[in-house]
Amino acid sequence: MANVSLRNIDIAYGPVTIVKSLQMEIADGEFTVLVGPSGCGKSTILRLIAGLEPHSGGDIFIDENNVSAANPADRNVAMVFQNYALYPNMTVFENISFGMKIRKIDATEIDHAVREVAKMVGLTDHLHKRPGRLSGGQRQRVALARAIVRHPKVFLFDEPLSNLDAEFRASIRLELRQLHKKLGATMIYVTHDQVEAMTMGDKIAVLAPIAVKGTHNLMQYDTPEVIYSKPTNLFVARFIGSPKMNTFEAESSGQATIRIGDQDIAVKVKRPLPSKVIVGIRPEHVVVGAHAEGPTITGRVAVTENLGHERLVFTETKIGPITQRASDQTVCPTAGDELELTLLRHRLHFFDAVTEERIEMVSDAP
Ligand SMILES: Nc1ncnc2c1ncn2[C@@H]1O[C@H](COP(=O)(O)OP(=O)(O)O)[C@@H](O)[C@H]1O
Ligand SMILES: [Mg+2]
């Protein structure tokens, strides 16, 4: 296993820059998720690590070795794709063992290795079948087994679950995490699904298309907890979390107060406030009723959704639409109701309306 270091990477297709100034230090044995909207460069970055994508600047290190110019075959990384890429005319056994056979490894050793890996991913009873007779989840397990049997230094996954239905996705997600623990492997996993990112990653790298900032794609690189509770800018704040964080524009009046609705909220900032601020609050940090814990906004309920384990209330207010989430079913307003909502003040996020960067509060201090 190995650590992977991406140092100031630039990638361009002709005149078009796709990735700029990418810096990441991926520790040995870590499960890292690259998440971002379609087209932001996630697959390009995986291909770069695998050696399938040229780069115009920077260096890639696997352990202490600069592999920037190394052939894919010499990097000892294994990639698992969304569309399995299995050989249709070979059995599961042959698909898993193909690489070993090419390398002329002894048949007994191949047999032993394949059976061990098949057991690990639950394919023992399917080794004689062709991929056509397997479910999507089983085919993805074959692709996974083929990667594991190689004992790579680094596993790369490019949206491996997106062809599977929701039920399968959840169970394979769990299996992959368990497998990661068992192998202690360095895994880099790409997805556009923020739920997958939040549930799977030791660390999450949130990426944006280069057009968002112009200077770099990597918006934030941290644990799921920090990304959720202290998003570094509006892009991250809105991308991670479902339903999305509520955001609205507010004026800052004076040095350390922000006007929300009819109330001035005192904030302890590290630097003077910009005059226009974007205030954010997650749906679970809005509560029904007027409370002392934060500013109260009144509005009219537009829609409610009862999901069983929680309910969502969408309210039109004078500062804009607010989504509220609660796990209790006791207070369930209905559409058309007049409603008071309190925004828990210690849960408010503030962003500069111009730069869209997080405004650090004294309480944010590490
Ligand atoms: N071979 C290529 N030539 C030109 N542009 C490409 C090529 N491959 C990908 N791109 C562009 O690079 C950007 C990033 O692509 P990709 O890494 O596949 O994004 P993601 O995996 O995040 O959806 C996209 O805008 C895509 O159109
Ligand atoms: Mg992709």
Side-chain angles (χ1 to χ4, degrees):
M1 297 306 147
N3 56 294
V4 177
S5 167
L6 304 178
R7 305 187 184 166
N8 221 11
I9 299 288
D10 297 326
I11 304 172
Y13 289 119
V16 185
T17 297
I18 306 293
V19 173
K20 207 164 171 181
S21 303
L22 180 67
Q23 293 273 15
M24 287 181 74
E25 294 293 333
I26 296 163
D28 185 19
E30 209 163 56
F31 197 111
T32 300
V33 178
L34 307 183
V35 67
S38 182
C40 70
K42 304 181 295 296
S43 298
T44 305
I45 295 166
L46 276 200
R47 287 203 306 270
L48 167 95
I49 299 169
L52 305 170
E53 188 78 47
H55 56 295
S56 49
D59 284 301
I60 308 143
F61 282 76
I62 296 180
D63 283 334
E64 299 317 309
N65 307 316
N66 188 338
V67 297
S68 299
N71 285 326
D74 299 332
R75 297 190 185 197
N76 200 6
V77 303
M79 196 146 163
V80 178
F81 300 94
Q82 173 182 346
N83 54 357
Y84 330 122
L86 304 179
Y87 300 107
N89 297 324
M90 293 184 189
T91 64
V92 169
F93 186 100
E94 288 162 343
N95 264 283
I96 299 173
S97 60
F98 186 69
M100 298 177 83
K101 216 170 151 191
I102 297 280
R103 280 180 278 131
K104 302 211 182 331
I105 291 172
D106 170 71
T108 333
E109 194 182 324
I110 292 183
D111 193 71
H112 179 77
V114 171
R115 284 180 199 285
E116 187 182 302
V117 173
K119 197 169 149 197
M120 207 183 272
V121 298
L123 284 174
T124 303
D125 297 334
H126 305 283
L127 285 172
H128 59 285
K129 293 182 186 168
R130 298 242 167 102
R133 288 183 53 209
L134 302 176
S135 71
Q138 289 166 336
R139 281 180 217 172
Q140 197 50 281
R141 286 193 177 91
V142 179
L144 190 60
R146 203 171 45 181
I148 298 169
V149 85
R150 290 178 47 195
H151 297 291
K153 285 190 161 196
V154 183
F155 286 85
L156 306 174
F157 297 97
D158 195 355
E159 314 228 16
L161 309 187
S162 34
N163 279 353
L164 308 180
D165 55 42
E167 191 189 338
F168 253 137
R169 265 210 304 271
S171 70
I172 297 207
R173 205 154 72 193
L174 197 66
E175 284 174 31
L176 258 182
R177 286 293 293 162
Q178 286 165 343
L179 193 67
H180 171 252
K181 274 217 182 76
K182 200 185 296 179
L183 297 173
T186 308
M187 294 186 168
I188 307 176
Y189 186 101
V190 159
T191 178
H192 63 275
D193 178 348
Q194 52 97 17
V195 176
E196 265 184 26
M198 286 297 290
T199 52
M200 298 185 81
D202 296 323
K203 284 270 199 73
I204 300 179
V206 183
L207 296 155
I210 193 68
V212 171
K213 288 282 170 193
T215 47
H216 57 283
N217 314 68
L218 184 60
M219 299 287 104
Q220 192 165 6
Y221 179 35
D222 216 314
T223 61
E225 294 72 27
V226 172
I227 297 228
Y228 193 79
S229 62
K230 292 189 172 68
T232 189
N233 60 30
L234 261 184
F235 182 91
V236 178
R238 289 176 174 153
F239 191 77
I240 300 288
S242 175
K244 278 187 195 325
M245 181 188 281
N246 298 291
T247 51
F248 50 91
E249 209 176 276
E251 306 271 334
S252 91
S253 40
Q255 278 303 299
T257 62
I258 292 171
R259 192 152 190 85
I260 297 176
D262 308 325
Q263 284 142 286
D264 282 326
I265 303 299
V267 290
K268 284 192 176 138
V269 284
K270 291 184 176 172
R271 279 178 285 279
L273 284 168
S275 61
K276 282 212 189 308
V277 170
I278 305 283
V279 179
I281 188 147
R282 295 212 181 269
E284 62 271 30
H285 299 143
V286 179
V287 293
V288 171
H291 300 277
E293 286 96 334
T296 300
I297 310 290
T298 56
R300 195 166 293 280
V301 176
V303 189
T304 64
E305 281 178 5
N306 190 344
L307 306 174
H309 66 290
E310 64 176 23
R311 56 130 187 88
L312 302 171
V313 179
F314 303 91
T315 304
E316 291 298 340
T317 77
K318 70 174 181 185
I319 59 170
I322 293 183
T323 304
Q324 190 251 343
R325 187 212 309 259
S327 53
D328 66 278
Q329 307 289 322
T330 46
V331 201
C332 195
T334 47
D337 283 358
E338 181 99 5
L339 195 64
E340 286 183 308
L341 294 170
T342 297
L343 317 182
L344 298 177
R345 54 148 304 159
H346 293 293
R347 302 295 198 158
L348 292 170
H349 303 259
F350 302 100
F351 303 92
D352 184 316
V354 177
T355 64
E356 302 199 337
E357 295 299 314
R358 181 181 191 84
I359 298 171
E360 278 193 79
M361 297 291 144
V362 173
S363 56
D364 276 356

